[in-house]
Amino acid sequence: RAVDEALVPTRTKQVPVKREICQNQDFRIARSDASHREEIVELVYLGQGRPFQVVERPESPLFDKEMATQYTEYDPDLANQMLDDLGFAERNGDGIRLGPDGKPISITVDIAVVRRPWLDSAELIRGYWKDIGIDLVINTMERSAQVQRIQANDHDASIWSASGGADTLFNPRYFFPAEWQSFYATTWGQYYAGGPTQEEPPEYVKHQQDLYNQVVASSDANKRTELFKEIIRIAKEQFYTFGLFQPDRDYGIINNQLRNVPDTMMASTIYTYPGSYNPEQFYFTDK
């Protein structure tokens, strides 16, 4: 996986005021700077990982070290200053900043109840964001309900794992709006891939989508890599998602009598796993 947990804010919200706020890049950066990832890793994941943005894994030729760590340094003072500079200095009696409409800035994050750590992380983030004057509402639900809200473009933000850590060519949705599961721009993704809620995206997104069309049309591996590096460069610049942490390598338990199993296997939800490692060639021995 690229990261095991990502908080993905939407940029295509239909509510005009929230759309204006959430499309502001400095607003996204400020919330990222205010999120104490190291504490999340230690308290929620028992130190089994590291703060990371959504980026290809270091093993990949598409890895970008600067992108992996941008805006991951915990700096609430900088975040507060950025929000003040954006014109959100006025707060209500609860310390929550007021938006352009004079109402408290409140972001609702949808979380499917499939992984308890995501809920624990969200509780911590709620506290971090309250310290900078942003209200975070945690909205838990069953996975299918979350899907319906995202497809209908009704969400403010969602938490999910970001796949594509080493197979982004097959699973590009976290690096440009490629489908409805590009949670940060659902309607732009559906414009590209088809879907019930479509909206024409800005030119930089269209450029990414065109680059990906060239990726899938090319049989030259080096050319595909170079084209996708440009897609990732734009994603880095646009800062679509908040990566929270990248896990250490997973491990598995293998029966001592099972043979012909590779020492290292790459897990994926895109291609058959472990089918791609020829399990028909595994065998048991009585020794």
Side-chain angles (χ1 to χ4, degrees):
R1 293 182 294 276
V3 295
D4 200 57
E5 184 176 352
L7 193 156
V8 188
T10 184
R11 300 175 70 165
T12 56
K13 186 77 176 181
Q14 295 306 306
V15 179
V17 171
K18 280 198 172 180
R19 186 183 180 97
E20 176 186 346
I21 293 172
C22 292
Q23 286 204 356
N24 188 294
Q25 179 138 329
D26 283 345
F27 184 69
R28 294 194 300 280
I29 293 172
R31 286 179 294 161
S32 183
D33 287 339
S35 300
H36 199 335
R37 290 168 174 82
E38 289 187 357
E39 188 170 73
I40 291 173
V41 171
E42 288 299 320
L43 296 181
V44 179
Y45 294 98
L46 305 178
Q48 302 300 300
R50 55 183 170 173
F52 236 55
Q53 295 289 4
V54 177
V55 66
E56 280 280 275
R57 292 188 62 87
E59 302 92 332
S60 168
L62 294 171
F63 176 64
D64 184 323
K65 184 177 181 180
E66 184 180 51
M67 184 178 181
T69 57
Q70 68 176 357
Y71 316 128
T72 60
E73 186 77 25
Y74 177 56
D75 195 340
D77 291 338
L78 176 60
N80 269 309
Q81 185 60 56
M82 291 179 71
L83 292 172
D84 286 348
D85 292 345
L86 286 174
F88 303 141
E90 187 178 355
R91 306 191 187 208
N92 66 9
D94 295 322
I96 303 303
R97 296 175 184 273
L98 304 181
D101 57 356
K103 296 180 180 179
I105 299 177
S106 180
I107 305 295
T108 297
V109 59
D110 293 349
I111 307 176
V113 286
V114 294
R115 293 188 187 178
R116 177 69 205 189
W118 292 351
L119 302 178
D120 295 335
S121 296
E123 289 290 350
L124 290 172
I125 293 170
R126 176 158 57 182
Y128 306 145
W129 288 10
K130 185 176 181 181
D131 289 343
I132 62 167
I134 303 297
D135 180 42
L136 180 66
V137 177
I138 299 172
N139 187 25
T140 58
M141 62 192 66
E142 194 273 329
R143 171 60 173 154
S144 62
Q146 183 187 33
V147 168
Q148 290 175 356
R149 282 176 54 79
I150 293 169
Q151 287 182 322
N153 200 37
D154 285 338
H155 63 303
D156 292 349
S158 292
I159 285 181
W160 200 251
S161 62
S163 52
D167 59 359
T168 294
L169 291 178
F170 305 102
N171 184 16
R173 64 176 179 258
Y174 281 96
F175 297 99
F176 77 94
E179 54 173 293
W180 71 265
Q181 291 188 82
S182 299
F183 300 163
Y184 51 87
T186 299
T187 56
W188 297 347
Q190 291 186 76
Y191 173 89
Y192 177 69
T197 312
Q198 299 186 25
E199 177 186 358
E200 185 173 355
E203 288 304 316
Y204 66 86
V205 172
K206 288 183 180 179
H207 180 49
Q208 285 184 298
Q209 292 170 346
D210 178 64
L211 286 169
Y212 188 67
N213 289 339
Q214 295 178 54
V215 168
V216 297
S218 176
S219 59
D220 185 323
N222 291 329
K223 181 179 179 180
R224 292 196 300 268
T225 297
E226 291 307 308
L227 288 167
F228 212 97
K229 281 183 177 179
E230 177 62 10
I231 291 174
I232 289 179
R233 185 197 65 77
I234 296 170
K236 173 183 176 180
E237 181 180 275
Q238 292 298 321
F239 189 44
Y240 289 130
T241 64
F242 303 164
L244 294 177
F245 97 106
Q246 186 181 77
D248 293 333
R249 289 192 176 193
D250 293 336
Y251 60 89
I253 299 173
I254 301 173
N255 189 295
N256 288 334
Q257 294 176 300
L258 186 62
R259 299 288 191 267
N260 220 23
V261 181
D263 292 334
T264 301
M265 291 191 286
M266 185 168 64
S268 175
T269 56
I270 302 304
Y271 59 82
T272 305
Y273 167 77
S276 57
Y277 293 93
N278 301 319
E280 67 274 13
Q281 301 297 326
F282 300 174
Y283 65 93
F284 282 98
T285 178
D286 56 3
K287 297 180 181 180

